[in-house]
Structure formats: C-alpha cells, structure tokens
Amino acid sequence: MDWMMILKAFAVGGLICVAGQLLIDYTKLTPARILVLFVCLGVVLTGFGVYEPLVEFAGAGATVPLTGFGYTLAKGVEEGVRESGLLGALTGGITGAAGGIAAAIFLGFLVALVARSGDKS
C-alpha cells in the first residue's frame, strides 16, 4: 500500500472540498451552481493542461470529486475528436463518462429497491 499516494489523494481531495465549503459559506451561490462550477472548472483546467498533472500527482483525490468528472468529460471529448472528428466533440464526453454514469444509475436503482421512501414532512 502506497501511503504517500493515499496522503496526497486525501490532501488534494480535501482541498477541493474545502473550496466548495468556502463557496457555500461565503457566497450566495447555491450548491447546484457550485457543483456545475466544479464540473466546468474540471473541463477548463483539463483543456489548459493543468488538471492532468494534478491527476498524476493525487490520483483519486483529483478524479473522484466533481472536478474529476469534468476532467473525464474533457478527456472523452479529446479522444472522440481524435477518432471521429467534429462528431466526436458531441459524443466523446458521454462515451468517456459512460461507465460512471451507468454505475450511478444501476446503484441508485439498487438502493431504491432496498430503501423505504417516505414523506419528509
């Protein structure tokens, strides 16, 4: 077990979460807007070549938060454009993130079968 990589992942993932918490506490941004901001930030930083070194440095600490989802979308678009040209710009992001999206849908379905829903009031 690589303890140094675990420490780096914890530190980077924690800093991303701290940034999100600071945005919640000190701005009037809604959580939904902050989530969208993080995904878009991941895409933009990947486009500028800044996020890839962070992923290599921190591993899951950079790929698991929402900025990592933006990174996955951008890498999928990059690969799609390389393979299919302009059409890949439209399909590459979904293709790149399909595994994570499918897992989220499937696991959400399993939890819905097991959990009891109820009125919140």
Side-chain angles (χ1 to χ4, degrees):
M1 187 176 290
D2 186 5
W3 290 101
M4 193 57 166
M5 183 55 117
I6 293 171
L7 182 63
K8 290 189 280 188
F10 179 78
V12 170
L15 287 173
I16 292 171
C17 291
V18 165
Q21 189 63 49
L22 289 173
L23 288 171
I24 289 171
D25 290 345
Y26 295 110
T27 68
K28 292 185 179 188
L29 291 172
T30 62
R33 289 184 174 162
I34 294 169
L35 297 176
V36 170
L37 175 72
F38 275 22
V39 172
C40 293
L41 188 62
V43 171
V44 169
L45 291 176
T46 302
F48 284 122
V50 175
Y51 208 75
E52 182 78 29
L54 187 63
V55 169
E56 291 173 9
F57 173 76
T63 58
V64 172
L66 280 172
T67 50
F69 183 66
Y71 165 77
T72 301
L73 290 174
K75 293 305 273 184
V77 167
E78 183 180 303
E79 186 176 317
V81 168
R82 197 175 325 112
E83 292 176 2
S84 304
L86 186 58
L87 183 60
L90 302 174
T91 61
I94 298 300
T95 303
I101 294 169
I105 291 170
F106 178 70
L107 292 173
F109 175 72
L110 288 180
V111 169
L113 290 177
V114 175
R116 279 187 29 211
S117 64
D119 191 11
K120 300 289 181 193
S121 56

